Amino acid sequence: MNLGLGASVLVFAAATALSACAQAPDADGLIWPDGPHPDFELMPRLTGEGSEPLNALFTQLDEAALGNRADCLGSGHQYAEWSRTVGRLFTGPRFLSIEINEGYYCGGAHPTVDLYRLTFDRRTGGVPDWATLWPGAEITASTEWPGQMPATTLSPALLEWYRAEVRSAPETDGAWLQQCDGYFGSDAANETLAIWLLDSGRIGVDFASLPHAAMACGSAQFITADEAEALGASAELVGLLREAEAEWIKEYGIE
């Protein structure tokens, strides 16, 4: 029976709600519903007062990904495949960071892997107000949300910090750096960056969107609380990072 995309979305949303209701929340107040396919993981669902806006956003992201999967597998290519994994990177009373990994092949020369690391504000149901949390970085949004995955344009100082970290990293290969010179060289393009919180009390930074041919030029770097403070982060953000780092060291015994 072909229900059509609109009806299928309603059935999917209802099934997701039932799956979430049948599971108990974890220690962070998150429920991880079963995916509709073995190779398709869903975004978590929050519990408690004020969780509706973020749950609605997560449902929207799930539905969009499910539609992309259906389009890909319906392309008619004999080797078409599409998979999605979802995991947490940071959990706290206010912020939640999620990593989405989508791999697919719908025809063409090579398969594609899209990796999104996203931080959400549990109070507002959207992305964090980075401009307030990090005034010294002069962060401004550069893409619509949730129509596209969020990216942010950072201040030249923070963007230069990122490039300098990549260039000076001991594991940076000279040939790779030369190949990616258009992104990390002296005349590097003004790329947008993604930033996200980590349970270790650091902030991840990487290019938000690279052409398929330049995907290998991505190189996540990590800012400590002290570095964030030096780069103009607010006392609230620095305090959050230090608290998370202390909990991380307490639990794992490593910095």
Side-chain angles (χ1 to χ4, degrees):
M1 180 173 63
N2 184 2
L3 299 176
L5 181 58
S8 297
V9 166
L10 292 177
V11 172
F12 162 74
T16 301
L18 289 174
S19 174
C21 290
Q23 300 182 38
D26 62 18
D28 298 305
L30 302 178
I31 294 175
W32 297 83
D34 296 329
H37 308 285
D39 59 353
F40 187 100
E41 295 183 354
L42 294 171
M43 298 287 287
R45 297 303 188 267
L46 281 68
T47 58
E49 185 178 356
S51 61
E52 292 82 3
L54 202 51
N55 285 339
L57 177 57
F58 287 174
T59 296
Q60 187 174 356
L61 292 176
D62 285 338
E63 291 172 349
L66 193 64
N68 292 337
R69 180 183 185 275
D71 291 342
C72 178
L73 299 184
S75 64
H77 196 284
Q78 61 176 330
Y79 298 116
E81 59 181 27
W82 206 99
S83 63
R84 183 194 201 221
T85 61
V86 178
R88 78 180 84 200
L89 297 173
F90 178 89
T91 48
R94 180 174 177 185
F95 298 112
L96 170 68
S97 293
I98 297 293
E99 180 176 87
I100 305 172
N101 190 317
E102 296 175 349
Y104 50 92
Y105 178 74
C106 311
H110 304 286
T112 298
V113 175
D114 291 332
L115 182 62
Y116 305 107
R117 304 176 183 102
L118 313 171
T119 297
F120 304 94
D121 190 326
R122 298 172 71 157
R123 294 180 186 173
T124 66
V127 296
D129 181 5
W130 290 115
T132 299
L133 289 169
W134 205 337
E138 299 179 358
I139 301 174
T140 56
S142 64
T143 56
E144 295 181 0
W145 175 259
Q148 302 179 45
M149 289 298 181
T152 53
T153 299
L154 308 183
S155 70
L158 188 51
L159 188 57
E160 184 54 34
W161 173 91
Y162 170 71
R163 290 172 175 149
E165 286 293 303
V166 174
R167 289 196 299 266
S168 63
E171 65 273 13
T172 299
D173 179 79
W176 173 87
L177 192 58
Q178 184 176 7
Q179 181 181 356
C180 296
D181 183 70
Y183 298 97
F184 297 108
S186 59
D187 296 325
N190 185 25
E191 293 293 325
T192 57
L193 296 175
I195 57 178
W196 64 95
L197 298 174
L198 290 159
D199 276 334
S200 59
R202 283 157 172 72
I203 299 175
V205 182
D206 201 355
F207 286 129
S209 180
L210 289 171
H212 189 277
M215 291 293 288
C217 292
S219 180
Q221 301 298 312
F222 304 98
I223 297 177
T224 66
D226 289 345
E227 289 172 320
E229 185 175 35
L231 290 167
S234 66
E236 179 183 6
L237 180 56
V238 173
L240 182 151
L241 295 176
R242 289 183 173 145
E243 181 179 352
E245 182 181 23
E247 288 296 321
W248 179 268
I249 294 174
K250 179 180 178 181
E251 182 171 357
Y252 297 105
I254 55 176
E255 298 186 15

